[in-house]
Amino acid sequence: MDLAEVARRLELATLYTDYAACLDSDALEHWPEFFTETCRYRVTSAENYEAGLPLGLIYATSQNMLRDRVSALRDANIYEPQRYRHLISGIRIDRETAGALEVSANFLVVRTMQDGGMTLFAAGRYIDRVERTAAGWKFARKDVVLDSRQIDTLLAIPL
Amino acid sequence: MDLAEVARRLELATLYTDYAACLDSDALEHWPEFFTETCRYRVTSAENYEAGLPLGLIYATSQNMLRDRVSALRDANIYEPQRYRHLISGIRIDRETAGALEVSANFLVVRTMQDGGMTLFAAGRYIDRVERTAAGWKFARKDVVLDSRQIDTLLAIPL
Amino acid sequence: MDLAEVARRLELATLYTDYAACLDSDALEHWPEFFTETCRYRVTSAENYEAGLPLGLIYATSQNMLRDRVSALRDANIYEPQRYRHLISGIRIDRETAGALEVSANFLVVRTMQDGGMTLFAAGRYIDRVERTAAGWKFARKDVVLDSRQIDTLLAIPL
């Protein structure tokens, strides 16, 4: 492993760390910036993913659709005082293709309610395609593959 | 820290990442390949581990015994539709001996049932001995030390 | 990213790994050694942290106060047979200042009771200041910012 490869792996770790920090701090307006303009973003279940079913709980095919999603979430104006905390481990480069990397990682999201109750909110696997752009590594595709068939929330939030 | 040491740490991270991905994707037939032929694998409780008791929920002293274990699990034919998700952190080289590393790490396994219910399935510490072989890093010994005295499952699965 | 930067990031990962291992193995007498002599340590809620409120569930302004804390915990002699397991991910250098780094990370602590019951004990974010000393990296400030407003424990333990 040479220094360039080491650096690439640490840069990918930073990408996922920054992504989690963005969501956990409810800085959703910055969330679309982690994607390329022509990205595809999807939240789906492992069952649907393995069956090759295209749709999901959230499905977007551009950075602009992600921005719309955030606007919709803000406009819905549902006061949700809970906090989310992402734990991500096992980041792995599965394949390297021209100008892009197929990367996967395990995630766990813990939700803490205002009364202090904590629950396992979501667990699963990110199956992503990342590209190096002038502004750094971006997600060209992100499949959030949930171990569960559903998530317990009124409005599907970004994961 | 020189580049060789950096590379070694990232290689170990990859070993644990691949190990978790193997189990989480239910690719159990590949699980024995993470071990040396003369390996020792054990799942035990922290109480028993600290008391120096040798046995455990699972105890195997060769790669072949691990293969038998997988066959037994497949033959048992218990349809368990749940999914497991490993989160591993805190990988640490505790000691270096001739040709081998003593490595430990924290793990958490979350189980998702078919109805969507999620539970904390297991937490604890891997206390391992890894050796560099012609086919890469392998576990010569793996002690899966559970914080709990038992795990909630009909047939003990690899962890 | 040059080798010095890579090494620094791996050294920080080791700091958090060792810190978690110290707490999880109940080696509390060694816990103060992770801090500088004039450190500040605090466990607080995200609400209080964001409101700028200074106090917390635990508040200490020197390594000696941390030692006193450990003595008090030991003297309290409450037999607590539970085990704690830290999962830490997303370690990030947020800022670099003269001779110190502002570092944050996500954590999750799972508690296992003697009867085997497991609960989500705490989740949140470490917001730290680390300094390189002759004895390695130390915490000059550690804010343990809990997602919850409280933790379920008789005597607040180090996190």
Side-chain angles (χ1 to χ4, degrees):
Chain A
M1 199 180 300
D2 62 8
L3 185 59
E5 172 62 15
V6 167
R8 190 170 72 165
R9 289 180 60 161
L10 294 184
E11 286 165 15
L12 289 176
T14 297
L15 174 67
Y16 283 86
T17 289
D18 290 349
Y19 183 87
C22 173
L23 294 181
D24 290 345
S25 63
D26 194 35
L28 298 187
E29 281 71 16
H30 291 292
W31 170 61
E33 298 165 12
F34 286 90
F35 295 85
T36 62
E37 278 185 33
T38 58
C39 66
R40 195 191 77 185
Y41 174 82
R42 183 166 61 138
V43 180
T44 189
S45 68
E47 279 183 337
N48 283 1
Y49 184 83
E50 288 158 10
L53 299 180
L55 297 182
L57 292 167
I58 305 183
Y59 189 74
T61 55
S62 71
Q63 197 188 46
N64 277 334
M65 283 179 71
L66 298 179
R67 287 203 186 87
D68 290 346
R69 180 90 204 166
V70 173
S71 298
L73 278 166
R74 296 302 195 199
D75 290 347
N77 206 16
I78 298 174
Y79 181 57
E80 297 193 333
Q82 55 260 38
R83 293 179 189 275
Y84 298 91
R85 184 67 47 197
H86 283 68
L87 280 290
I88 297 175
S89 78
I91 300 170
R92 188 167 74 165
I93 299 175
D94 291 318
R95 255 184 318 285
E96 181 162 3
T97 57
L101 302 173
E102 307 283 328
V103 181
S104 59
N106 280 359
F107 68 84
L108 172 66
V109 183
V110 171
R111 177 168 61 173
T112 302
M113 310 302 286
Q114 204 169 24
D115 66 5
M118 297 172 67
T119 54
L120 297 169
F121 180 69
R125 192 158 183 78
Y126 290 127
I127 302 177
D128 302 335
R129 180 182 174 86
V130 299
E131 293 177 4
R132 196 196 291 270
T133 73
W137 292 100
K138 302 282 183 186
F139 294 109
R141 193 196 69 234
K142 181 179 268 295
D143 281 321
V144 183
V145 183
L146 301 170
D147 288 339
S148 177
R149 278 181 297 184
Q150 55 195 11
I151 48 175
D152 168 34
T153 184
L154 283 174
L155 259 185
I157 57 164
L159 283 172
Chain B
M1 200 181 299
D2 62 9
L3 185 58
E5 171 63 16
V6 166
R8 190 169 72 165
R9 288 178 63 160
L10 295 184
E11 286 165 16
L12 289 176
T14 298
L15 173 66
Y16 283 86
T17 289
D18 290 348
Y19 183 87
C22 174
L23 295 181
D24 290 346
S25 64
D26 194 35
L28 298 188
E29 281 72 16
H30 291 292
W31 171 61
E33 299 165 11
F34 287 91
F35 295 85
T36 61
E37 279 185 34
T38 57
C39 66
R40 196 191 77 185
Y41 174 81
R42 183 166 60 140
V43 179
T44 189
S45 67
E47 279 183 338
N48 283 1
Y49 184 83
E50 289 160 8
L53 299 179
L55 298 180
L57 292 166
I58 305 181
Y59 188 75
T61 54
S62 72
Q63 197 188 45
N64 277 334
M65 282 180 71
L66 298 179
R67 287 203 185 86
D68 290 346
R69 181 91 205 168
V70 173
S71 298
L73 279 166
R74 296 302 195 201
D75 290 347
N77 206 16
I78 297 175
Y79 180 58
E80 296 193 333
Q82 56 262 36
R83 292 178 189 275
Y84 298 91
R85 184 64 49 197
H86 284 68
L87 280 290
I88 296 175
S89 78
I91 300 169
R92 186 168 75 164
I93 300 176
D94 291 318
R95 255 183 319 284
E96 183 162 0
T97 57
L101 302 175
E102 307 284 328
V103 180
S104 59
N106 280 359
F107 68 85
L108 173 66
V109 183
V110 171
R111 178 167 62 173
T112 303
M113 310 302 286
Q114 204 169 25
D115 66 3
M118 299 171 68
T119 53
L120 297 170
F121 179 69
R125 191 156 184 79
Y126 290 128
I127 301 178
D128 302 337
R129 179 181 174 87
V130 299
E131 293 177 4
R132 195 195 292 270
T133 75
W137 293 100
K138 303 282 182 186
F139 293 109
R141 193 195 70 231
K142 179 178 268 295
D143 282 320
V144 183
V145 182
L146 301 170
D147 288 340
S148 178
R149 279 180 296 182
Q150 53 196 12
I151 49 176
D152 169 34
T153 184
L154 284 175
L155 258 185
I157 57 165
L159 285 173
Chain C
M1 198 181 301
D2 63 9
L3 184 58
E5 172 61 16
V6 166
R8 190 169 72 167
R9 288 179 61 162
L10 294 184
E11 287 165 13
L12 289 176
T14 297
L15 173 67
Y16 283 86
T17 289
D18 290 347
Y19 184 87
C22 174
L23 294 181
D24 290 347
S25 62
D26 194 35
L28 299 188
E29 281 71 16
H30 290 292
W31 171 61
E33 298 164 11
F34 287 90
F35 295 85
T36 61
E37 277 185 34
T38 57
C39 66
R40 196 191 77 184
Y41 174 82
R42 184 166 60 139
V43 179
T44 190
S45 68
E47 279 184 338
N48 283 2
Y49 184 83
E50 289 159 8
L53 299 181
L55 297 181
L57 292 167
I58 304 181
Y59 188 75
T61 55
S62 73
Q63 199 190 43
N64 277 334
M65 282 179 71
L66 298 180
R67 288 204 185 88
D68 290 345
R69 181 89 203 166
V70 173
S71 299
L73 280 166
R74 296 302 193 200
D75 290 346
N77 205 15
I78 298 174
Y79 180 57
E80 297 193 331
Q82 57 261 35
R83 293 179 189 275
Y84 297 91
R85 187 64 50 199
H86 283 69
L87 280 291
I88 297 175
S89 78
I91 300 169
R92 185 167 77 165
I93 299 175
D94 291 318
R95 256 184 317 285
E96 182 164 1
T97 57
L101 302 174
E102 308 283 326
V103 180
S104 59
N106 280 359
F107 68 85
L108 173 65
V109 183
V110 171
R111 178 168 62 173
T112 302
M113 310 302 285
Q114 205 170 23
D115 66 3
M118 298 172 67
T119 54
L120 297 169
F121 180 69
R125 192 158 183 78
Y126 290 128
I127 302 178
D128 301 336
R129 179 181 174 87
V130 300
E131 292 178 3
R132 196 196 291 270
T133 73
W137 293 99
K138 303 282 182 187
F139 293 110
R141 194 195 69 234
K142 181 178 267 296
D143 281 320
V144 183
V145 182
L146 301 168
D147 287 342
S148 176
R149 278 180 297 183
Q150 54 195 14
I151 48 175
D152 170 33
T153 185
L154 283 175
L155 258 185
I157 57 164
L159 284 172

